Amino acid sequence: MREQQMLDAAVRTFGRRGYMAASMDEIAELAGVSKPLVYLYLNSKEDLFTACIRREADALTRAVRAGVRPDLPADRRLWDGLLAFFAHTGEHPDAWSVLHLQARTHGEPFAAEVAAMRTEIVAFVTGLVVVAAREAHSDPDLPEDEVAGLAEALVGAAESLAAWANATPGVTARQAAATLMNFAWAGLGDLMRGNRWTPPPEAPQGRGEPRA
Amino acid sequence: MREQQMLDAAVRTFGRRGYMAASMDEIAELAGVSKPLVYLYLNSKEDLFTACIRREADALTRAVRAGVRPDLPADRRLWDGLLAFFAHTGEHPDAWSVLHLQARTHGEPFAAEVAAMRTEIVAFVTGLVVVAAREAHSDPDLPEDEVAGLAEALVGAAESLAAWANATPGVTARQAAATLMNFAWAGLGDLMRGNRWTPPPEAPQGRGEPRA
């Protein structure tokens, strides 16, 4: 109970003031406990920050999973997942700041904690895209590389949009989810129906060579 | 000339070893100059890193702009811009690591340098989306908020895919650009034609309330 209060205060402080500027004094005061108690529970600022990242990463992945009902069609699952994601990041802007910004801008071991969460979310989205492709029948052989790329694109788009939505007054979770769904599903939907966009013939200057 | 050599060595070292682990000794040795000379030109590790970010941010935005011919139709411009982006990030993986990862994971003032580049690229992409909407006629009144959201989504997707493409053997710039174009254009294309994805009715639990 006390630990949750301290973590609440820490997430708020780290999210608003940044990892470097946040002080243990401030966190203890906001939590209404003494500073030695914070250290007793959570050892150091680094450990406290790591505990915040773990708790919030877990809460976010659980919120997204809980939003998605496996018995619904693929587009509905994607919509529900996006809505749950934007609702959670919008309702917990400090937590999202910790995960998306703070945890990635202060080196290891924090970046690795967030990378693990991201891997889990990409795997979850990859599963959604694979099921969508299976449901669509017309293109069951969407190459594995392309599915992985689509999932990375979708997760990157969602991360970017969540930061933008939180920074833009008046944008609701529903609007952010609808923007991305319009972007993603109409695109994925066409792709699943086998309607590909056709690139122009390869340019002569050798762009698009295999990478070193 | 000497300064370019030092910056080349610094980008390579920061990109591969990370900002914290990179040493001025290593950079001087790789550049084939003495360590005092590096300090003479570039003052401190912080200043050297900032100079790397500025040079590489400038090179990337110039490469994307140079890839896009304003007289071509919107889908072709988007494709050319994406191809230029993935070709540049694929040919300069250390520079992309500096911009996408290192510059964002070591706090200020570095994060602000990258944020400025990102703002410029988002503005450029926003312009492409607005022109595409204008060309499409059918939906000239795409709301400003939605255009901004689409541009953020597209840039986030591209960033995420570039990191994935560089980490995945055998993925070419052309493949990465085609994956994103299939995703983005078919989606944007439908949107421009007024074919929106329709969300289910609002859930009773109040998701999607305006943000605080």
Side-chain angles (χ1 to χ4, degrees), chain A residues 146-167:
Chain A
E146 182 141 29
V147 171
L150 290 169
E152 287 284 344
L154 189 51
V155 169
E159 289 171 335
S160 178
L161 261 181
W164 170 80
N166 282 359

Side-chain angles (χ1 to χ4, degrees), chain A residues 75 79 86 90 104-107 118 145 149 152-153 157 160 164 166 171 174 181-182 185 187 196-197 200 211, chain B residues 75 79 86 90 104-107 118 145 152-153 157 160-161 164 166 171 174 181-182 185 187 196-197 200 211:
Chain A
D75 65 333
W79 162 256
F86 289 113
R104 306 207 298 190
T105 52
H106 297 289
R118 198 179 195 275
D145 249 15
E152 287 284 344
S160 178
W164 170 80
N166 282 359
V171 176
R174 205 175 158 83
M181 194 64 193
N182 259 310
W185 189 256
R196 288 173 172 276
W197 182 87
R211 282 144 196 279
Chain B
D75 65 333
W79 163 256
F86 288 113
R104 306 207 298 190
T105 53
H106 297 289
R118 197 177 195 278
D145 248 14
E152 287 284 343
S160 178
L161 261 183
W164 170 79
N166 281 359
V171 176
R174 204 175 159 82
M181 194 64 193
N182 259 311
W185 190 255
R196 288 173 171 275
W197 181 87
R211 281 144 197 278

Side-chain angles (χ1 to χ4, degrees), chain A residues 106-175:
Chain A
H106 297 289
E108 299 299 349
F110 314 127
E113 294 282 342
V114 167
M117 172 195 77
R118 198 179 195 275
T119 301
E120 195 183 331
I121 289 190
V122 168
F124 183 67
V125 172
T126 303
L128 287 184
V129 174
V130 168
V131 171
R134 204 176 294 142
E135 279 179 15
H137 300 299
S138 68
D139 191 1
D141 295 323
L142 202 63
E144 203 177 304
D145 249 15
E146 182 141 29
V147 171
L150 290 169
E152 287 284 344
L154 189 51
V155 169
E159 289 171 335
S160 178
L161 261 181
W164 170 80
N166 282 359
T168 309
V171 176
T172 64
R174 205 175 158 83
Q175 279 174 284

Side-chain angles (χ1 to χ4, degrees), chain B residues 85-162:
Chain B
F85 174 78
F86 288 113
H88 188 88
T89 54
E91 283 158 17
H92 303 91
D94 298 331
W96 180 242
S97 168
V98 163
L99 291 176
H100 181 62
L101 199 60
Q102 296 302 323
R104 306 207 298 190
T105 53
H106 297 289
E108 300 300 350
F110 314 127
E113 295 281 343
V114 167
M117 172 193 77
R118 197 177 195 278
T119 302
E120 195 184 331
I121 289 190
V122 168
F124 183 67
V125 172
T126 303
L128 287 184
V129 175
V130 168
V131 171
R134 203 176 297 141
E135 279 180 15
H137 299 299
S138 67
D139 191 1
D141 295 324
L142 202 62
E144 204 177 303
D145 248 14
E146 182 141 30
V147 170
L150 290 169
E152 287 284 343
L154 188 52
V155 169
E159 289 170 336
S160 178
L161 261 183

Side-chain angles (χ1 to χ4, degrees), chain A residues 22-74:
Chain A
S23 78
M24 295 295 265
D25 285 300
E26 196 177 350
I27 292 167
E29 197 186 323
L30 189 61
V33 301
S34 70
K35 194 160 124 182
L37 192 67
V38 178
Y39 279 106
L40 186 69
Y41 273 95
L42 287 145
N43 212 37
S44 67
K45 187 173 168 183
E46 288 72 27
D47 287 357
L48 179 56
F49 191 48
T50 302
C52 289
I53 296 170
R54 284 202 185 145
R55 189 183 76 165
E56 297 307 334
D58 189 51
L60 177 56
T61 46
R62 272 191 295 114
V64 172
R65 285 181 186 281
V68 176
R69 280 178 45 194
D71 55 313
L72 294 177

